[in-house]
Amino acid sequence: MMMMSCEYMKSNIDEKEETKIRLMRALVEKQDPSSKEVDDPTLRRFLRARDLDVEKASGMFLKYLKWRQTFVPNGSISLSEVPNELSQNKMFMQGFDKKGRPIATVLGARHFQNKLGGLEEFKRFVVYILDKICSRMPPGQEKFVVIGDLKGWGYSNSDLRAYLGALSILQDYYPERLGKLFIVHAPYIFMTVWKIVYPFIDNNTKKKDKKLKSTLLEEIDESQIPEIYGGQLPLVPIQET
């Protein structure tokens, strides 16, 4: 009986979401015909990010479309648009966790404020990363995992404007994509910056961080863990994946 009850509840939730998706699609297609090219899973992510509020989700989605058309006019960010960020060699992608979510690793101590390309190049780099990760998701998977390694991180790596910029892009334009964030080797001084950033994280994103203390092996098979953490996969620069 318990199983039947759970299945019935899941069915009702799915049915409710499908109804909301249809309502949302009608609303956004009326305001922006290009919405017709967007699939249902994308609309669902925006709905979930706004607790199934069709009006709020529609507004968020239309804002995303407008941003995408202006910020990524060619459909993707090319390597030539982010040379200074790539030169820091700080972002890697390899393996999948036990749920089939692609894994990205960022070495925080290699990030420095971009004085040549500025904040705009950094934002382009964030979009390049997110698009790259999403392109590696297997069918049926919509989320990814990030390992944030802060070994050696210091005040010279602190870049609050960049951190908040990346957070804004993730929350506003890639909702419901972050499945899990592991922060490892975090130095005490990082907590000063974390206390500033944390209030800007919306509740839906905060929910992803409940198990930060979980070990990598609880979520990722050893064969898929980077070598630097005792696993079997070498770190692969994201531009080489």
Side-chain angles (χ1 to χ4, degrees):
M1 290 293 291
M2 191 68 172
M3 184 181 298
M4 290 178 63
S5 178
C6 290
E7 290 177 351
Y8 177 75
M9 289 177 63
K10 184 178 185 301
S11 176
N12 277 354
I13 292 174
D14 291 344
E15 193 173 309
K16 181 179 180 181
E17 284 193 346
E18 292 302 320
T19 299
K20 296 274 189 175
I21 289 172
R22 287 195 294 270
L23 291 172
M24 180 177 172
R25 181 172 291 285
L27 185 59
V28 297
E29 286 185 1
K30 183 177 181 180
Q31 297 189 50
D32 189 333
S34 68
S35 302
K36 296 178 180 179
E37 302 174 9
V38 178
D39 59 19
D40 284 356
T42 299
L43 296 183
R44 181 182 290 110
R45 287 194 299 274
F46 280 86
L47 271 169
R48 289 176 175 175
R50 289 296 176 263
D51 298 320
L52 301 186
D53 185 308
V54 173
E55 187 173 338
K56 290 182 179 179
S58 297
M60 182 186 186
F61 176 73
L62 290 169
K63 179 183 176 183
Y64 156 76
L65 282 184
K66 185 176 181 180
W67 165 82
R68 188 82 190 182
Q69 291 162 2
T70 56
F71 198 78
V72 196
N74 298 321
S76 63
I77 301 294
S78 67
L79 295 179
S80 63
E81 295 179 84
V82 289
N84 301 297
E85 293 296 334
L86 289 171
S87 69
Q88 295 182 2
N89 196 34
K90 58 192 172 186
M91 197 75 202
F92 307 84
M93 186 164 58
Q94 65 294 300
F96 298 85
D97 75 350
K98 294 177 180 178
K99 295 181 179 180
R101 300 176 294 192
I103 302 168
T105 302
V106 56
L107 303 183
R110 295 186 182 182
H111 171 78
F112 296 94
Q113 186 175 351
N114 189 334
K115 295 182 179 180
L116 295 175
L119 184 61
E120 285 306 299
E121 183 183 339
F122 176 78
K123 289 181 178 180
R124 290 196 297 272
F125 185 58
V126 171
V127 173
Y128 171 81
I129 290 169
L130 292 172
D131 285 351
K132 193 84 168 180
I133 296 173
C134 291
S135 72
R136 291 191 71 237
M137 292 178 181
Q141 183 54 257
E142 298 183 67
K143 297 179 182 290
F144 60 84
V145 172
V146 174
I147 300 174
D149 191 336
L150 300 178
K151 186 176 183 179
W153 187 94
Y155 282 121
S156 63
N157 308 113
S158 179
D159 190 357
L160 194 57
R161 288 179 66 214
Y163 298 160
L164 292 176
L167 182 61
S168 177
I169 290 173
L170 177 66
Q171 293 183 162
D172 295 343
Y173 308 128
Y174 295 81
E176 298 296 304
R177 283 298 201 184
L178 179 61
K180 174 101 38 185
L181 169 64
F182 294 96
I183 296 180
V184 300
H185 302 143
Y188 179 75
I189 58 173
F190 173 74
M191 299 313 297
T192 301
V193 175
W194 181 248
K195 288 178 181 178
I196 297 174
V197 173
Y198 191 76
F200 289 92
I201 305 177
D202 70 23
N203 290 329
N204 280 332
T205 302
K206 284 177 182 176
K207 291 176 183 176
K208 315 299 186 300
D209 295 271
K210 286 185 176 180
K211 297 183 179 179
L212 286 178
K213 295 182 180 179
S214 299
T215 64
L216 295 178
L217 282 173
E218 288 178 335
E219 300 284 342
I220 309 170
D221 188 82
E222 186 176 352
S223 67
Q224 301 295 301
I225 292 177
E227 289 176 337
I228 60 173
Y229 308 122
Q232 300 175 17
L233 290 184
L235 288 179
V236 180
I238 193 164
Q239 67 270 24
E240 296 178 13
T241 57

